[in-house]
Amino acid sequence: MYAFLLPTFILYGMYTLYPIVASYWYSLVEWNGFSADQRFVGLDNYEAVLADPLFWSSVRVTLLFMLIVAPLRVFGAFALAILLNSPRLPFSSFFRTAYFLPVVTTTAIVGVVMRFILDPASGPVASVLQLFGLGPVDLLGSSSTALLTAGVIYVWKFFGITMIYWLAALQTIPKDLYEAARIDGAGALKLFRHITLPLLIPFLLIISVLTIEDCFHAFDLMQSMTAGGPFFSTEIIEIYIYRWAFAATIPQLGFASAAAVLFGIIVLVVVIAQVWATMVSRRLRARA
């Protein structure tokens, strides 16, 4: 048995554990990633990252992106899940599949296609706007609209995952509760208010934390659509790290690793919040 597990352990150690451990070491050295010379600088990289205004700008953009995406995904998917969970809705299975299809589509391809669709010169959106006499609108090329546009596309791309979470949560509610309430004369609004909502509160905590954590990992979509532009208005932390590690004229692997470690601390805080939310949800379900 251990012989069959050995390849998995080796690959996991080489491509997961080792890069994590190595990034901590690289964050303490000055290294361009090409030469063998690695000069130990201690915490200088961390001080440089924390003193860089663009790092804090990427943190602000990441948090703003999360504030745009998370509520739309959580509450929008909740409303859609309530609708699709209704036994009276025809073709509900078809609609569930249709809303989940973007999830299985390659994210980078979605970004490239969206750049074509939103192209202000030759894209379909520009052609439709011209039919109504509206001038070309560069949604991804304007610093005032790029982040919001990317957020909406991100919501559409991963909307199906959150919808599945809510549908699974709705399936945990016993049907007997609804039948007993209907016998007592409760209508649809009372069923939703007094049965559905209270029993879904624990799931709301978990789904919200999972969605917020997922919002920190939008590199592939954002990089393929805007590459952090225009004027760093969509440069999330992951793109900031990528720019210093791979896209700079002289790569700074130590500097980028320090930024990655700080990013990992932010994600760790979210994970701790997720554990806390799970514990609270279990207590609420036990009381219910």
Side-chain angles (χ1 to χ4, degrees):
M1 180 182 67
Y2 293 104
F4 289 103
L5 293 177
L6 185 60
T8 301
F9 287 143
I10 294 176
L11 293 176
Y12 182 77
M14 291 175 56
Y15 296 104
T16 302
L17 294 181
Y18 173 75
I20 293 175
V21 175
S23 64
Y24 287 99
W25 165 250
Y26 294 149
S27 68
L28 301 176
V29 300
E30 183 180 344
W31 184 44
N32 59 16
F34 297 102
S35 64
D37 298 330
Q38 298 181 10
R39 187 170 65 89
F40 182 81
V41 295
L43 299 178
D44 289 353
N45 286 328
Y46 291 95
E47 294 178 359
V49 171
L50 294 175
D52 186 6
L54 289 179
F55 171 75
W56 294 109
S57 173
S58 67
V59 172
R60 180 186 62 81
V61 170
T62 303
L63 295 178
L64 183 58
F65 179 80
M66 180 190 68
L67 292 176
I68 293 173
V69 169
L72 290 176
R73 281 183 58 179
V74 172
F75 296 107
F78 172 70
L80 182 62
I82 291 292
L83 180 63
L84 294 180
N85 194 57
S86 174
R88 300 179 181 178
L89 180 68
F91 308 109
S92 59
S93 298
F94 168 79
F95 289 115
R96 294 181 186 183
T97 304
Y99 280 107
F100 193 78
L101 277 179
V103 176
V104 299
T105 307
T106 304
T107 307
I109 294 178
V110 170
V112 173
V113 171
M114 285 301 173
R115 287 182 60 182
F116 166 74
I117 292 176
L118 299 176
D119 188 284
S122 58
V125 174
S127 301
V128 173
L129 292 177
Q130 288 179 359
L131 293 177
F132 293 94
L134 301 176
V137 179
D138 194 357
L139 295 175
L140 292 177
S142 173
S143 58
S144 60
T145 59
L147 186 63
L148 178 61
T149 303
V152 172
I153 295 173
Y154 185 85
V155 170
W156 169 79
K157 171 69 173 68
F158 295 101
F159 195 79
I161 293 180
T162 314
M163 180 193 70
I164 292 299
Y165 290 159
W166 281 120
L167 286 172
L170 287 169
Q171 298 302 317
T172 64
I173 301 178
K175 303 298 182 183
D176 297 342
L177 293 178
Y178 290 114
E179 294 176 1
R182 291 191 183 97
I183 293 174
D184 292 337
L189 184 59
K190 289 185 177 181
L191 291 175
F192 178 77
R193 179 181 177 183
H194 296 288
I195 295 179
T196 305
L197 279 183
L199 294 179
L200 289 182
I201 289 178
F203 296 98
L204 173 63
L205 296 175
I206 298 175
I207 293 173
S208 297
V209 173
L210 288 174
T211 304
I212 290 172
E213 184 181 353
D214 190 46
C215 293
F216 287 105
H217 307 292
F219 169 80
D220 41 5
L221 183 65
M222 199 72 77
Q223 177 67 20
S224 59
M225 283 197 305
T226 65
F231 308 112
F232 305 100
S233 60
T234 61
E235 185 176 75
I236 56 178
I237 299 179
E238 290 178 317
I239 294 181
Y240 176 87
I241 297 170
Y242 170 82
R243 180 165 58 85
W244 280 102
F246 304 106
T249 304
I250 302 178
Q252 300 292 333
L253 267 296
F255 185 90
S257 296
V261 171
L262 293 173
F263 175 56
I265 294 174
I266 296 175
V267 176
L268 179 62
V269 172
V270 176
V271 171
I272 293 174
Q274 178 180 349
V275 174
W276 173 83
T278 303
M279 295 174 60
V280 172
S281 66
R282 289 177 179 175
R283 293 176 184 174
L284 292 174
R285 293 188 65 181
R287 293 176 183 177

